[in-house]
Amino acid sequence: MKISGKLIDLHLRRIYSGEITVSNGRITSIEEKGSAPEVYIIPGLIDAHVHIESSMVTPSHFAVTAVRHGTVAVVSDPHEIANVMGVEGIHFMTDNAAGVPVRFLFGAPSCVPATKFESSGAIVGAEEIEGLLQSKRTGYLAEMMNFPGVINGDKEVIKKIKIAQNAGVVIDGHAPGLTGEDLRKYASAGISTDHECSTLEEAQEKIVAGMKILIREGSAAKNLEALAPLLITNPEKIMLCSDDLHPEMFEKGHINLLVARLLAMGYDIFDVLRSATVNPSNHYSLGAGLLREGDRADFIVVEDPRTMKVLQTWIEGNLVFDGKKALFGPGSVLRVNKFNCSRIVPREIEVKKGGPKMRVITATNGELWTGCDIVSSGMDAVVHTRPEEDILKIVVKERYKDAPPSVGFIRGFALGHGAMATSVAHDSHNIIAVGVSDRDIVTAVNMVSDAGGGMAVVAGQESDILRLPVAGIMSDMPVSAMAARYLSLSETVKNLGCRLDAPFMTLSFMALLVIPELKLSDKGLFDGKNFRFVPLFVDQE
C-alpha cells in the first residue's frame, strides 16, 4: 500500500513530496518524488496528559472521536475512576480501551485518595501501584499531586516513587505554583513533568530544575498562550496536553486545534509538531510511529497544517478515519459503579448562625483557583442564601456511605433561583450541589443519588438529569450525543441566571482541595493554601 503527499519530516526538519509504502503495519520505505498530491502527511498526534473520564465517555468512545482529530495515542491518568472504584476501575479502563486501535498509555494513579481530607471510594496504595506496574496494565506513575509529601519525605509517597523507579517508568508531576528550594526537592525526587504551570516564569524555573513542561489547554485550565514562548527557548522540553476535556469541546477538536493555533501564532512548524508527536513518544516510550522507515505506520493526512483539518488517520497501517467517520466501533460496555448513600432532607442542610461573619467561596469563570470572601452571616438565627448578593449555598454529600452532608456558601454562580448538582466532583466524586433554596438543592442531590450518578438541574417543579451510569462519572453514549446533552443541561442552568461559561465544569472543581484557596469537601470547608479545615464562621477561630 502506498500513500503520497507532502511529507513533514520532523527529524530532518524539511517538507518534501514523497510516497510512503506500508506493509504489515510498518513503513517499509519512503521515497522522495518530484511532485505529490497537495495534502500533508504528519506523524499521528499524541495527548501527553488527559483524564479520559473528564470527557464523560468511556475510553473506547473517546477513541472513536479522537481519530477524527488525528490523535493516535494518549497518555491517560485514570485517577478519577480510581478514586471511585480503585483498582477495579483502572482495570475497567484498560479493558475497555483494549478493543480500539488508539494507543492508551494508562498511568498508575499516585494519589488515591487525593488527600486525607475527603472521603473517596477506594485507596490505591504502594502495593496496588506495584501490582499495576508489574502487570503492565499501566506504564508510568501518574501525577504526583502530593508535592508536600514528596518535599517532606512522606514514607508512603517515597515508597511509591521508588517502586516506579525500580520499574523503570517515568513519574509525572503536579505542583501548581511550586518554586525555590521546595521545587528543587520535588524535581530531584525523580518527578519528570509538570502540567500545572500558569506563567512563563514558573515553567522556566521548572525546566531549570530538570522537568519537562506539558502545555495544557483543556476545558478547565487554558495555558497555551502564556506558555507558548517555551517553544522558542526550550522546544525539546515541551509537550501538549488537554488534561480535562469536556465533551462539547472534544467534539470540536483535540490536539490538532492546539497545533493549528500555535502555527497561527507564528511558531516553528517543526517544533510545534514535535511537541505533539516526537517529544511525548520519546518521553513515555510510546513507540508511536514518527514517519520514518521501519516505524509503525501511525500518521495522519491533513488538508493544510495551518488548519489541521484531518482527512485520514492511520494506526499501524490501518485506515481508522476516512475523512467522514471512524472505521471502528466502541464495542459494548460493562458498567461499574459505587453509590451507597441514602436520600437527604432539607433540615440536613440547614445552617444555624454561629457568628456575625462567615467565609464564602468565590468562584471565577474559567479558573480552578477560588478565593475567600468574609461576609455578614445575616440577622436571623438560620443563615439563608442571598441571591441578590450572589451568595448561594453549596453542599457536598458523600456517595460511598451515609454521612451528614457538609454545607457552605459560594459566590460566582449567580443563580436567581433553582439548583444544580453533579457526581462529577474532583477528585473523590462525591455529590456536589449549588442552589438558592434548600428544597431545590435537596431535590437535585437526591436525583443524582437515585440515578447512581449524573448531572441534575431543578427549578421548582421543573427538573432534568443527565445520567452517568459508569462509576457515576461517565456514560456509554457517543461523544456527540454526550456533548449535545451536556450543552443542553448547561443552557438550562444559564437560564436560571448563571453567568459562567461552563457551570457544571466549574462546580466539579469546587471540591478539588489541592487547588487553593477555599474549597468544600464532604468533611467541611478547606483552606488549600494552609492545607487545613477552617470553620464557616470566622469568630470560631
Side-chain angles (χ1 to χ4, degrees), residues 135-363:
S135 71
K136 305 301 182 183
R137 281 184 178 265
T138 60
Y140 69 103
L141 185 63
E143 55 181 309
M144 179 52 73
M145 295 187 294
N146 187 0
F147 57 85
V150 177
I151 295 164
N152 297 315
D154 179 275
K155 290 183 179 179
E156 180 72 5
V157 169
I158 299 304
K159 187 176 182 180
K160 291 175 182 178
I161 290 173
K162 292 296 184 185
I163 288 169
Q165 291 172 334
N166 291 338
V169 300
V170 299
I171 304 168
D172 267 3
H174 169 116
L178 195 64
T179 62
E181 184 58 28
D182 284 347
L183 171 60
R184 287 186 283 277
K185 287 181 180 178
Y186 183 70
S188 65
I191 313 298
S192 67
T193 68
D194 187 82
H195 60 270
E196 291 289 339
C197 296
S198 58
T199 69
L200 200 57
E201 294 73 21
E202 179 184 355
Q204 289 168 334
E205 186 178 357
K206 286 176 177 174
I207 289 173
V208 170
M211 303 173 78
K212 295 179 180 178
I213 302 301
L214 280 56
I215 298 180
R216 171 178 59 184
E217 186 80 358
S219 295
K222 302 177 186 296
N223 310 121
L224 188 73
E225 290 193 12
L227 302 182
L230 295 170
L231 286 166
I232 297 174
T233 58
N234 302 93
E236 74 286 354
K237 300 287 187 181
I238 305 307
M239 295 174 257
L240 302 181
C241 76
S242 62
D243 195 7
D244 292 290
L245 196 60
H246 280 216
E248 83 289 358
M249 287 187 65
F250 186 39
E251 176 67 11
K252 296 176 183 177
H254 195 197
I255 300 300
N256 60 321
L257 296 186
L258 308 190
V259 169
R261 281 180 58 190
L262 288 166
L263 294 179
M265 293 161 66
Y267 290 97
D268 180 84
I269 186 171
F270 301 107
D271 290 334
V272 169
L273 288 172
R274 285 178 67 90
S275 71
T277 56
V278 177
N279 294 353
S281 182
N282 289 345
H283 183 74
Y284 292 101
S285 302
L286 289 173
L290 298 173
L291 216 56
R292 299 169 299 191
E293 288 187 1
D295 275 0
R296 288 185 1 165
D298 303 335
F299 56 85
I300 60 177
V301 181
V302 303
E303 188 175 77
D304 187 329
R306 292 171 296 183
T307 62
M308 287 300 291
K309 179 182 178 182
V310 179
L311 304 177
Q312 293 180 340
T313 300
W314 295 77
I315 299 179
E316 290 193 78
N318 295 310
L319 181 65
V320 296
F321 174 67
D322 64 1
K324 295 181 180 179
K325 64 181 184 303
L327 302 180
F328 62 93
S332 59
V333 174
L334 177 64
R335 294 180 179 179
V336 294
N337 211 342
K338 186 181 288 186
F339 256 90
N340 299 310
C341 63
S342 301
R343 293 176 134 240
I344 62 173
V345 296
R347 59 177 167 76
E348 292 182 76
I349 63 169
E350 183 180 273
V351 176
K352 294 182 179 179
K353 184 175 177 179
K357 294 185 180 295
M358 64 181 185
R359 291 180 172 85
V360 174
I361 300 168
T362 58

Side-chain angles (χ1 to χ4, degrees), residues 147 174-178 196 361-364 367-372 509-520 526-531:
F147 57 85
H174 169 116
L178 195 64
E196 291 289 339
I361 300 168
T362 58
T364 303
E367 296 288 343
L368 305 189
W369 291 64
T370 57
C372 174
F509 287 102
M510 293 303 101
L512 184 57
L513 308 187
V514 295
I515 303 291
E517 176 181 355
L518 189 64
K519 297 289 174 68
L520 182 70
F526 190 78
D527 177 346
K529 283 186 174 180
N530 298 299
F531 241 62

Side-chain angles (χ1 to χ4, degrees), residues 93 185 540:
M93 298 293 277
K185 287 181 180 178
Q540 291 182 7

